[in-house]
Amino acid sequence: MSPAAPATATPANPRYPNASSYRVTPAHVLRSEWHKLWSLRSTWITLLSASALILGIGLLMGATYESGGGDADMDTVVLVLIGVQFAQIAFAVLGILVTAGEYTTGMIRASMTAVPRRLPVLWAKAAVFGAVVFAVSLATAFATFLPAALLLSDTDQAASLGDPGVLRALLGCATALTLLGLIALGLGSALRSVPGAVGTFLGGVMVLPEVLGMLPYDIVQDVKKYVPTKATEALTSAQPVVAGASPGGALLALALTAAATLVLASALLKRRDV
């Protein structure tokens, strides 16, 4: 009996031998969102604007600071990274454009046609956006603090990376900006409108808590510690904030707020048509 011919592997679909490379997988969805993010001119503009604000204002504060002024008791990291107050708006706008921007252009229909389960698209957007914002903001925080610390070395605001709380504050700054951006990304997905999401973020996340904080009730003051803007201040400060949340409590509050926003966006994404 003649030996059997060796078996040869045949593709599942002879007409499309490379069909497996087009299969919808988490890695492919992430790669798609990565390319979409960096192909937008708005991504480069907002990231560069946010970094320039933090770096420029930080160096200006370091170069013009004089000992004995009214800012002597201010936390050094907060003083150097005061530009974060403006940069967080730029990161929020980018997060909104990542989701709501696709509804404006109609690109969302192509995305959901390619990934009918829908939710992987939102998770991939959040993962890619979060990784980019964290990397950029962390690099910017260090790039701002190190030269600003040299400029402040002969003043009463002298500080270094080795001082207690400084390294944690720089990491906390990047984490807070990332979580704020994810809150905005979730709002953009839920509202599907760039102007509406920007207005909701500015009014509901940044302005309304400050207005409510003026109410003379103890419970309001306790809650105010954990609103996103105050939590960001606590995470960016090297020293404990007076009457503020602890870094751990601030991180938990921001993370829960971002998670709740994304869960809401996920529920609406599954229930509504695109």
Side-chain angles (χ1 to χ4, degrees):
M1 183 173 61
S2 59
T8 58
T10 58
N13 190 336
R15 294 181 60 188
Y16 303 100
N18 296 321
S20 60
S21 62
Y22 299 102
R23 188 177 304 146
V24 177
T25 65
H28 288 167
V29 179
L30 281 170
R31 185 184 305 170
S32 172
E33 294 303 326
W34 175 268
H35 288 306
K36 280 196 289 185
L37 180 66
W38 290 112
S39 65
L40 297 174
R41 185 165 51 186
S42 58
T43 299
W44 297 93
I45 293 174
T46 51
L47 289 178
L48 289 174
S49 298
S51 296
L53 283 169
I54 297 173
L55 181 61
I57 296 176
L59 294 180
L60 180 64
M61 296 298 293
T64 59
Y65 181 83
E66 295 182 0
S67 298
D71 296 328
D73 58 347
M74 189 175 184
D75 187 279
T76 304
V77 179
V78 174
L79 175 68
V80 170
L81 298 182
I82 198 169
V84 166
Q85 298 178 22
F86 306 98
Q88 62 189 9
I89 299 176
F91 284 125
V93 169
L94 178 58
I96 291 168
L97 290 174
V98 167
T99 49
E102 285 203 21
Y103 287 95
T104 301
T105 62
M107 182 67 184
I108 192 66
R109 288 189 287 272
S111 298
M112 296 309 174
T113 300
V115 189
R117 292 176 59 191
R118 296 189 178 187
L119 290 187
V121 175
L122 179 61
W123 300 133
K125 288 180 182 295
V128 169
F129 171 79
V132 169
V133 170
F134 182 80
V136 171
S137 55
L138 183 61
T140 303
F142 275 92
T144 303
F145 177 81
L146 293 175
L150 291 176
L151 295 171
L152 294 169
S153 59
D154 294 329
T155 70
D156 54 13
Q157 284 285 358
S160 68
L161 282 177
D163 290 347
V166 170
L167 185 58
R168 178 200 51 77
L170 296 178
L171 291 170
C173 173
T175 303
L177 287 174
T178 303
L179 292 172
L180 283 172
L182 289 174
I183 293 171
L185 183 144
L187 288 174
S189 178
L191 298 177
R192 300 185 174 188
S193 166
V194 174
V198 171
T200 301
F201 182 86
L202 293 177
V205 177
M206 302 189 70
V207 177
L208 182 60
E210 299 296 328
V211 174
L212 294 178
M214 298 178 184
L215 297 176
Y217 300 109
D218 292 339
I219 188 172
V220 173
Q221 300 306 317
D222 292 337
V223 172
K224 184 181 177 182
K225 301 177 187 177
Y226 301 100
V227 299
T229 51
K230 295 301 180 181
T232 299
E233 292 178 12
L235 284 174
T236 309
S237 177
Q239 304 298 326
V241 177
V242 177
S246 66
L251 176 60
L252 180 61
L254 266 179
L256 289 177
T257 304
T261 308
L262 290 173
V263 167
L264 173 63
S266 301
L268 293 176
L269 182 61
K270 292 185 66 175
R271 293 175 61 89
R272 298 187 299 188
D273 293 333
V274 296

